[in-house]
Amino acid sequence: EVQLLESGGGLVQPGGSLRLSCVVSGFSFSNYAMSWVRQAPGKGLEWVSALSGNGATTYYADSVKGRFTVSKDNSNNTLYLQMNSLRAEDTAVYYCAKNPDSYGSGSSQYWGLGTQVTVSS
Amino acid sequence: DIQMTQSPSTASAFVGDRVTITCRASQSITNWLAWFQQKPGKAPSLLIFDASTLETGVPPRFSGGGYGTEFTLTITSLQPDDFATYFCQQYHGYPFTFGQGTKLEIK
């Protein structure tokens, strides 16, 4: 059974940093691309970032480019999202999701439960 | 970036009704489109991918269509469990953008 579990969210001041983690199980992590998607309170879904299965190719939304970094540790089946220079508009539930192939194409069939990030002074 | 525009933003219907939600892309995305259902406090759930392919386990009252820039999600014979918010997403090219969502309410 495919499972994804995010952690690392919390309350942080503007300008601060957080690192989100997503531990996965039930599939060969190194063979699949992964994505981060967020949802601000009462708003729609916003795609944030993606990482190829081998970790060599990254993609970012313009809204986070230069501030967020996606990475993975295949030995620990863990996806990360390092978030720096956080802003109030980054406040959201952050989901990790599994892509259907290693390149990052296709829609995400499996999603985690999400972790809440709140940026506020 | 490819912009995705959904309509309507909100829809009201009775149990048993047929509902159609539309999603338009700002440029051709061929058939690289997915539909998701989301209920309050839950993660999105994939319904349809490649514009018209039903995800395993999704009831056949859900169907998707379209190609290029205009797409539809149709739900026939609405069930109480179908009242939720629906999002389209294009994956023709990064960034993989979502529509703003359609909230389906019970009348």
Side-chain angles (χ1 to χ4, degrees), chain A residues 3-83:
Chain A
Q3 293 188 330
L4 300 87
L5 184 63
E6 305 93 339
S7 62
L11 175 63
V12 62
Q13 292 188 338
S17 297
L18 274 180
R19 189 177 80 159
L20 305 184
S21 300
C22 173
V23 177
V24 312
S25 61
F27 64 98
S28 180
F29 184 54
S30 61
N31 289 340
Y32 290 91
M34 298 290 294
S35 298
W36 289 99
V37 175
R38 69 185 180 183
Q39 187 168 35
K43 302 297 184 181
L45 300 169
E46 180 186 13
W47 176 87
V48 172
S49 181
L51 178 67
S52 61
N54 63 7
T57 306
T58 58
Y59 306 91
Y60 297 99
D62 287 345
S63 58
V64 307
K65 201 173 294 181
R67 300 188 299 122
F68 290 13
T69 302
V70 63
S71 62
K72 66 183 323 197
D73 181 346
N74 285 333
S75 65
N76 286 325
N77 282 2
T78 303
L79 175 74
Y80 300 104
L81 185 67
Q82 177 67 43
M83 305 186 296

Side-chain angles (χ1 to χ4, degrees), chain A residues 37 39 44-45 47 50 59 62 95 104 106-109 111-112, chain B residues 1 34 36 38 42-44 46 49 55 87 91 94-96 98:
Chain A
V37 175
Q39 187 168 35
L45 300 169
W47 176 87
Y59 306 91
D62 287 345
Y95 297 100
S107 54
S108 295
Q109 179 187 19
W111 295 64
Chain B
D1 297 359
F36 293 90
Q38 188 180 34
K42 301 294 187 182
L46 179 64
F49 61 94
E55 174 65 9
F87 296 93
Y91 46 94
Y94 280 107
F96 287 178
F98 289 90

